[in-house]
Amino acid sequence: MPGRLRATERANAWSRPLRALSGIAALVLVFAVLEGAASLAYTVWWGRMHWWSPLLERAHTVYDPELGWASQPSRVAADVFGPGLHVTTNARGFRNATEFENAVPPGKLRVVALGDSFTLGYDVGDGDSWPAWLEKLCPGLEVPNMGQSGYGIDQSYLWYRRDAGELAHALLVLAFIGDDLLRVRTDNMAGYGKPVLALRAGELVATNVPVPRAAFLVPALTQNLALLGTLRLVELPRALLARFAPDASLAPTELSDLETERVDEAILRGLRATAAERGAKLVLVHLPHLATGQPAELAALPDFALAALERVAADGVPFADLRDELLRERDPARRALFQPRTVENGPGGHYSTQGNRFMAAAISERLIALGEIPREACEPR
């Protein structure tokens, strides 16, 4: 009997700490479940306010293995930017209802407009982009619109080199905002893959091609991937990576300012050479955009981008910076040149119909002053 009592006492002595440990484990488990549920609930709550539906551009663009994305040819995407604000593309994928023959029509001077969403005419209808207004203000011109939302000068260069080879034209106008010269740094735009132009032995080489297609398959996930960053399951690996592998990065490696300057300059020189091979002359046009949400504050070109532009301009490429034209406009006139609202799922800050007309007039005057187009081309017929 004494042996049994001692065994019972020993069992009780072990059971007490085991019960305590079990209780602590249960509390930890409950806390972990509650913490996980709270993290998930926070992500859902945050997502309800910050969820982005597919970008408006997806209504008229398709995956392109060489460019990342491009407008679908022969498409009428109705009401993209609002009722009646369609995006129409011709068989070449340009934002024109007109089908262009390779040869220039008699009595016309063809000016190819190349650029990003500001050239495409984001947030306005087909007839109100600045290339469309340039045609209306200058009846002697024919203006194919090779604007594409989100493009940097790298993608613009690759698109022009690939798809404008048979199109006769006298002028190539590369119209850009400051951001376009920065976009050469990365391999994606808003999560969508893009090519990267690298300098190797002084030559431009396209890398990250074919562009990965995965981001285009589930656009809602691509555009909302940042929401997953609110989950502790995502934050923990990032914190550990930063702690134990500080040199590693989950983001693509970006070029330095000096490297970006060199790539920008090489692209601009490549555009000039390609245009010259086609009997055309390159003209560079800086389209000013907003530095903040206020039209009174216009973004300045980065110093390294300006250095590249000035060197190319010194070699005979005309460069028109339209920032001064906008700075001469006073509020509220300047304010009216920009969209007064942010469209659903859109970045806002693009030119209004009035702003596109203003820019077309400014571009025509600069081209006339530079001697690139005759004044007669902009006189009523």
Side-chain angles (χ1 to χ4, degrees), residues 302-323:
D303 289 341
F304 63 86
L306 189 57
L309 288 162
E310 288 177 343
R311 279 199 298 274
V312 174
D315 281 345
V317 176
F319 172 35
D321 189 343
L322 301 185
R323 197 165 182 267

Side-chain angles (χ1 to χ4, degrees), residues 231-254:
L231 290 171
R232 297 297 183 263
L233 283 173
V234 176
E235 286 187 351
L236 178 60
R238 284 179 174 171
L240 292 174
L241 186 66
R243 173 67 178 84
F244 297 106
D247 294 332
S249 174
L250 295 177
T253 301
E254 292 193 347

Side-chain angles (χ1 to χ4, degrees), residues 150-292:
Y151 270 19
I153 64 170
D154 48 357
Q155 289 163 289
S156 293
Y157 166 61
L158 292 172
W159 188 26
Y160 173 76
R161 191 175 68 175
R162 188 188 73 178
D163 290 352
E166 297 180 352
L167 190 69
H169 53 287
L171 287 179
L172 169 65
V173 174
L174 175 66
F176 57 87
I177 63 172
D179 289 352
D180 296 350
L181 292 109
L182 293 170
R183 291 171 182 169
V184 304
R185 289 180 162 182
T186 62
D187 62 1
N188 75 90
M189 177 65 177
Y192 291 93
K194 59 177 284 293
V196 177
L197 288 177
L199 271 176
R200 294 178 182 169
E203 298 293 327
L204 286 170
V205 177
T207 65
N208 199 42
V209 287
V211 175
R213 188 170 189 167
F216 294 82
L217 301 178
V218 188
L221 177 61
T222 298
Q223 291 155 214
N224 294 283
L225 203 58
L227 295 177
L228 298 180
T230 60
L231 290 171
R232 297 297 183 263
L233 283 173
V234 176
E235 286 187 351
L236 178 60
R238 284 179 174 171
L240 292 174
L241 186 66
R243 173 67 178 84
F244 297 106
D247 294 332
S249 174
L250 295 177
T253 301
E254 292 193 347
L255 300 178
S256 67
D257 284 358
L258 180 58
E259 291 169 325
T260 305
E261 179 182 328
R262 290 171 176 166
V263 171
D264 282 340
E265 182 177 349
I267 291 171
L268 296 175
R269 293 187 184 280
L271 264 176
R272 179 181 65 174
T274 304
E277 291 170 0
R278 297 167 180 179
K281 185 174 182 179
L282 173 65
V283 177
L284 303 175
V285 173
H286 173 218
L287 299 176
H289 72 297
L290 304 181
T292 65

Side-chain angles (χ1 to χ4, degrees), residues 57 81 95 113-126 128-133 145-152 156 173-180 183 189 285-292 298-299 322 326 337-339 347-353 355-360 363:
E57 293 90 331
F81 302 122
R95 192 182 184 185
L114 184 67
D116 66 358
S117 55
F118 282 77
T119 296
L120 172 80
Y122 192 98
D123 209 9
V124 296
D126 291 327
D128 287 320
S129 65
W130 73 256
W133 272 108
N145 184 345
M146 292 188 72
Q148 198 74 256
S149 286
Y151 270 19
S156 293
V173 174
L174 175 66
F176 57 87
I177 63 172
D179 289 352
D180 296 350
R183 291 171 182 169
M189 177 65 177
V285 173
H286 173 218
L287 299 176
H289 72 297
L290 304 181
T292 65
L298 300 177
L322 301 185
L326 268 185
L337 302 179
F338 295 91
Q339 291 292 353
H350 285 84
Y351 298 139
S352 63
T353 295
N356 277 286
R357 189 185 191 284
F358 179 93
M359 286 300 159
I363 290 171

